[in-house]
Amino acid sequence: MQCFDCTQSASCLTHKELPVSAHTRKTSITAEDHTLESNGNPSGLVGATRHVPNNQRGYQLEEGDPAVPDPSKNPRIIISFPRGDPENPYNWKIFVLSIGIVAVLNSTLGSSLPSGAVRYLAEYFEVKSQAQLVLPISLFLVGYVLGPVVFAPLSESYGRRWIMIITFVFFTIFTMACAVAPNWPSFLVFRLLCGITASSPIAVVGGLFADIYDDPITRGRAMAFFMAATTCGPALAPAISGFISVLTWRWTFWAGLIIAGASLMFLLFMPETYGPAILKRRARRMRRETGNPSIFAPIELEKKGVRQMITITLTRPIRMILFEAIVLFSCLYLSIAYGIFYLFFEAYPLVFEGVYGFNTGTAGLPFLAIGVGAFLSTAIFIGWDSALIRAKKTNAPWAQIEEYRRLPLACIGGPLYVISLFWLGWTANSNIHWIVPILSGIPFGIGFMLIFMALLNYVTDAYEIFAASGMAATSACRSIFGAILPIAATPMYQDLGIPWASSLLGFLSLAMCIIPFAFIKYGDRIRANSKFCQELREKKRRMQAEKEREGSDDAFLPDEEMGSRLR
């Protein structure tokens, strides 16, 4: 089986001057459910990634040639990316990284945007119930639950670009709707719709970075910046809304609209990064220009239809939660940490307005310490990554173990997270200067981010081509906790008091600290028994065997490069 090398020259790029038959060999395949590499090349077809050698191009095979398919079967030409293809998504790293971070900043900024405007919302809409005043943030996070289980799998079938753009357009529209909401129920509905559409960057950007970074080191560092953005957005929003809402609460959302509108202009220039979608578009153009109906992209040979979408694609995140221990316990730890983070949007006003007498605007400033911690965590992440690279170069035994690539960061971040909770609880006292509890936000931000960086990258590295579905699973679970836990914040802090309420959260987080240590000890055995990981190993084995048969330059691919090709 051969692939059509469609970008070997300028003439081939336009597909006008060169007949298809001169650069292809035909073969037959069946439309089975194949898995594709991130650059669009098929990994599940035996021989599908083989390019026609130069000395074989330019002639049509005769019937006697053993490579000619059985005439009774339908011959097809499968196209793929050759080396140096200008449309290969690996060429667009910095631009796509910037777009991804901008989209995520908008999404996460919107999640906590009402936090500084709660008092003014309550007065305008005459809302008396404290539980209802939590809903503008909680319903937004409910949207984070609903969106990823749809948007992540769809992006794996139809590409990243249009999923990102369409959802961002609706996010912008619903942000404007919040600013002009006539009553409380409509405002809450618009917040829910904002959350659903804003969840798209959270769900898709992980796959976006997997598209453009084939090296796990640079991919991990890109993910570190992405996750720092997910923390900085919510940390900035309370200060923005706290100061702007003094004019009117509506200006809080007008400000969000201005930021989203400016970002949308940037997002419109985002290229498609999903390799299979690029090849599908190219195959359609080639069929139209050459009149040859037998030219296909690998994704066009996958099983399609509503049944396939419902039973396989959309249910994959749920199946990973139920049957994959790594995903399940990662979801549990991340959900607790995430829920506590959003609980702080209710707890911090109780501490800094109630104990220290801050006004609405200044009460949002302590969140900036969490943002500082998030940025410091990226420096720790890069430092650990550099140490790991040096250890691999010296063939240190521990550096060859998958679990040591990321998980030690969570072993550092977990205790820091616990310490910060006790720090906040037992120093929030009118007899202690306000800077002391504010500074607890720095280890909180560091610990929070290290936990996320370690576990999300571990899930991505463990499940590779299923990374977007794994990310969707973790996103949905943590958003459920993020939506529910803040509802309990005010009653808990009022009944237990600030010291013991924070201590309760600290003890709960302490129990979660065992999870990364358990993964380090038992992770290899868990992955060995994982159905998804077994499937990945089998695909790698088939790819390696095919490369060896072809005698290509990259016949022996290291595990990391093979993983990136599968991805």
Side-chain angles (χ1 to χ4, degrees), residues 106-114 136-137 140-141 144 191 234 338 342:
N106 274 271
S107 172
T108 54
L109 186 77
S111 67
S112 60
L113 197 58
I137 292 178
F140 191 100
L141 296 178
Y144 273 13
R191 284 294 294 169
Y338 194 76
Y342 274 91

Side-chain angles (χ1 to χ4, degrees), residues 49 70 112 144 166 168 205 217 243 256 291 350 406 416 481 513 559:
T49 56
D70 185 343
S112 60
Y144 273 13
I166 292 171
F168 200 90
V205 167
I217 296 172
F243 286 110
L350 295 174
R406 310 294 184 195
L416 284 174
F481 278 69
C513 283
D559 288 343

Side-chain angles (χ1 to χ4, degrees), residues 81 315 345 369 374 396 402 410 470:
F81 287 117
T315 62
F345 292 105
E402 175 70 27

Side-chain angles (χ1 to χ4, degrees), residues 271-470:
E272 178 57 66
T273 66
Y274 191 51
I278 298 172
L279 290 179
K280 181 179 180 180
R281 183 181 65 221
R282 182 178 291 179
R284 285 177 176 173
R285 184 173 69 246
M286 292 172 64
R287 287 196 296 267
R288 183 177 64 252
E289 294 176 353
T290 64
N292 188 337
S294 299
I295 302 172
F296 291 94
I299 195 173
E300 294 178 294
L301 303 175
E302 292 184 330
K303 289 181 180 178
K304 297 288 184 179
V306 176
R307 181 178 179 183
Q308 171 77 8
M309 180 65 66
I310 294 175
T311 59
I312 303 297
T313 306
L314 294 182
T315 62
R316 188 182 296 139
I318 298 172
R319 288 185 285 119
M320 294 183 81
I321 294 172
L322 294 178
F323 302 113
E324 295 295 317
I326 290 174
V327 175
L328 173 62
F329 286 101
S330 295
C331 285
L332 180 61
Y333 196 178
L334 294 173
S335 297
I336 295 295
Y338 194 76
I340 292 173
F341 177 49
Y342 274 91
L343 180 145
F344 272 12
F345 292 105
E346 306 299 321
Y348 263 40
L350 295 174
V351 172
F352 295 104
E353 292 182 34
V355 176
Y356 292 103
F358 285 18
N359 61 38
T360 305
T362 55
L365 296 177
F367 287 98
L368 298 179
I370 297 176
V372 171
F375 272 108
L376 291 176
S377 69
T378 59
I380 296 173
F381 181 91
I382 293 173
W384 169 260
D385 231 24
S386 300
L388 181 63
I389 294 169
R390 290 194 296 270
K392 283 186 173 183
K393 288 180 179 179
T394 59
N395 293 319
W398 66 269
Q400 313 306 317
I401 302 172
E402 175 70 27
E403 280 64 32
Y404 279 97
R405 180 180 291 170
R406 310 294 184 195
L407 290 175
L409 294 171
C411 298
I412 299 170
L416 284 174
Y417 192 81
V418 173
I419 290 170
S420 70
L421 293 171
F422 286 104
W423 182 342
L424 173 67
W426 294 96
T427 60
N429 188 298
S430 57
N431 296 321
I432 300 175
H433 195 275
W434 50 262
I435 194 62
V436 179
I438 286 178
L439 290 176
S440 69
I442 295 177
F444 181 91
I446 295 174
F448 179 78
M449 286 305 306
L450 290 180
I451 293 168
F452 268 71
M453 289 175 179
L455 293 181
L456 290 183
N457 273 297
Y458 182 53
V459 169
T460 299
D461 292 340
Y463 293 100
E464 298 183 352
I465 59 173
F466 305 113
S469 292

Side-chain angles (χ1 to χ4, degrees), residues 194-211:
C194 270
I196 293 173
T197 51
S199 68
S200 176
I202 302 296
V204 174
V205 167
L208 194 75
F209 291 165
D211 293 339

Side-chain angles (χ1 to χ4, degrees), residues 91-235:
N91 298 324
W92 308 321
K93 292 179 173 61
I94 300 299
F95 183 56
V96 173
L97 172 65
S98 303
I99 291 176
I101 291 176
V102 166
V104 167
L105 275 173
N106 274 271
S107 172
T108 54
L109 186 77
S111 67
S112 60
L113 197 58
S115 59
V118 168
R119 177 188 302 175
Y120 306 99
L121 286 165
E123 292 175 359
Y124 184 88
F125 291 118
E126 299 181 351
V127 178
K128 306 296 182 185
S129 170
Q130 182 61 41
Q132 286 197 48
L133 293 176
V134 181
L135 293 179
I137 292 178
S138 291
L139 285 176
F140 191 100
L141 296 178
V142 169
Y144 273 13
V145 179
L146 302 175
V149 296
V150 176
F151 297 139
L154 287 179
S155 77
E156 293 171 337
S157 297
Y158 301 105
R160 322 290 189 193
R161 183 175 187 266
W162 285 111
I163 296 294
M164 291 273 286
I165 291 176
I166 292 171
T167 54
F168 200 90
V169 167
F170 279 101
F171 166 71
T172 305
I173 292 171
F174 292 132
T175 299
M176 180 178 65
C178 289
V180 297
N183 52 55
W184 183 245
S186 64
F187 176 75
L188 294 181
V189 170
F190 292 141
R191 284 294 294 169
L192 173 62
L193 295 173
C194 270
I196 293 173
T197 51
S199 68
S200 176
I202 302 296
V204 174
V205 167
L208 194 75
F209 291 165
D211 293 339
I212 62 173
Y213 290 104
D214 55 342
D215 175 35
I217 296 172
T218 53
R219 184 175 62 249
R221 293 180 178 182
M223 286 294 292
F225 286 106
F226 156 67
M227 285 180 274
T230 65
T231 304
C232 291

